[in-house]
Amino acid sequence: WNAYPTCYGQMTLPPIAAIYPGHSEKAYLAAYNLAYFDNGFAKDMNASLVAGLSVALTLDAGKMNHEQLWTKVFEAMKNTDPYEYNKVPWCERSITKWMYMADMFVKEANGSPAKLFQLLDKQFMYDAKWEAQVPFTLIFSVLKICKYDPLAALQLSIEWGNDHDTYPQLLGAFIGAIYGPDIFKREMKDTISKRIQLDYDENIDEWVNTLMKIR
């Protein structure tokens, strides 16, 4: 990847969270150690996302509002740090930096998705849109500008364009982990399952069962 810190781990590693629900450090370490394809800060960033997902799987969406749920996820990502990136002197941990940037973009956009997309275009003008920081910043930006409404954010994650298969895939993993499969209508799930079966000869239920056996 020409030394780019890519989003490759963001696409391949999220299912690891299902093996370690509620155990963010174990999920982080498993993802970090498996990610031979990640380099630079992407290794930490992508493992942190899996750590956040592991906590998301244990949250009760019926007992907290949207913002409270996502705050728990953000805290898990920031605080899970077995290799102590947070203590490295003279530089900021990447997930801290890009979480802050997402907040700043949303504040400056003042409720306007079009303005948010302009800010993202300017920020990432010279970046490949599959570098790790781009999906990371995009999904949390749209989530916050939608006031944490999961399906609105999922739709908006596609609207920016660019690497628009990666963005909803990553955000969708978090939404499914927090709210469960019932957040998606039956027709939506059936369509996706059918297309995956026809296009790739893969069955989602078989993969779920495999993960449960590993767990």
Side-chain angles (χ1 to χ4, degrees):
W1 296 111
N2 201 28
Y4 284 175
T6 75
C7 68
Y8 200 92
Q10 296 172 17
M11 294 188 289
T12 57
L13 300 175
I16 292 173
I19 305 173
Y20 302 103
H23 298 283
S24 60
E25 185 163 310
K26 289 182 178 180
Y28 177 103
L29 290 169
Y32 193 100
N33 291 327
L34 281 171
Y36 64 88
F37 34 69
D38 283 333
N39 56 46
F41 65 78
K43 247 177 123 63
D44 173 53
M45 177 176 282
N46 297 343
S48 296
L49 287 163
V50 177
L53 272 171
S54 74
V55 170
L57 286 164
T58 67
L59 299 176
D60 188 342
K63 293 183 177 179
M64 290 181 275
N65 63 36
H66 291 318
E67 185 171 0
Q68 290 170 330
L69 289 165
W70 287 98
T71 296
K72 292 284 186 183
V73 172
F74 298 152
E75 288 174 349
M77 291 170 55
K78 292 177 181 178
N79 296 332
T80 304
D81 187 25
Y83 293 120
E84 299 187 337
Y85 280 88
N86 286 320
K87 294 183 180 180
V88 177
W90 313 119
C91 64
E92 187 175 28
R93 190 181 183 191
S94 290
I95 66 166
T96 305
K97 171 186 175 179
W98 293 109
M99 279 282 194
Y100 172 79
M101 293 299 290
D103 287 339
M104 291 300 98
F105 292 152
V106 170
K107 184 177 180 180
E108 189 171 343
N110 195 29
S112 169
K115 177 63 174 177
L116 173 62
F117 291 163
Q118 289 174 2
L119 293 167
L120 291 167
D121 284 336
K122 182 178 180 181
Q123 176 66 48
F124 298 123
M125 183 184 305
Y126 301 110
D127 295 304
K129 300 307 184 287
W130 36 263
E131 290 184 54
Q133 70 275 17
V134 181
F136 186 97
T137 308
L138 182 278
I139 69 166
F140 295 127
S141 295
V142 296
L143 184 68
K144 292 177 181 184
I145 206 168
C146 289
K147 300 187 185 302
Y148 303 96
D149 182 292
L151 295 185
L154 192 62
Q155 174 65 32
L156 200 57
S157 73
I158 304 170
E159 299 297 334
W160 187 43
N162 298 302
D163 194 15
H164 55 40
D165 57 339
T166 302
Y167 311 148
Q169 179 264 345
L170 182 58
L171 181 55
F174 280 96
I175 291 170
I178 292 175
Y179 300 101
D182 292 337
I183 191 72
F184 304 108
K185 293 180 179 179
R186 169 55 59 186
E187 311 89 84
M188 297 169 66
K189 292 186 285 188
D190 288 346
T191 299
I192 295 297
S193 296
K194 181 180 179 181
R195 291 314 319 171
I196 290 176
Q197 184 76 55
L198 290 173
D199 292 348
Y200 304 106
D201 194 26
E202 294 289 351
N203 184 288
I204 293 175
D205 289 336
E206 289 180 3
W207 280 103
V208 171
N209 290 334
T210 297
L211 286 167
M212 293 302 292
K213 289 177 181 177
I214 294 171
R215 177 183 170 189

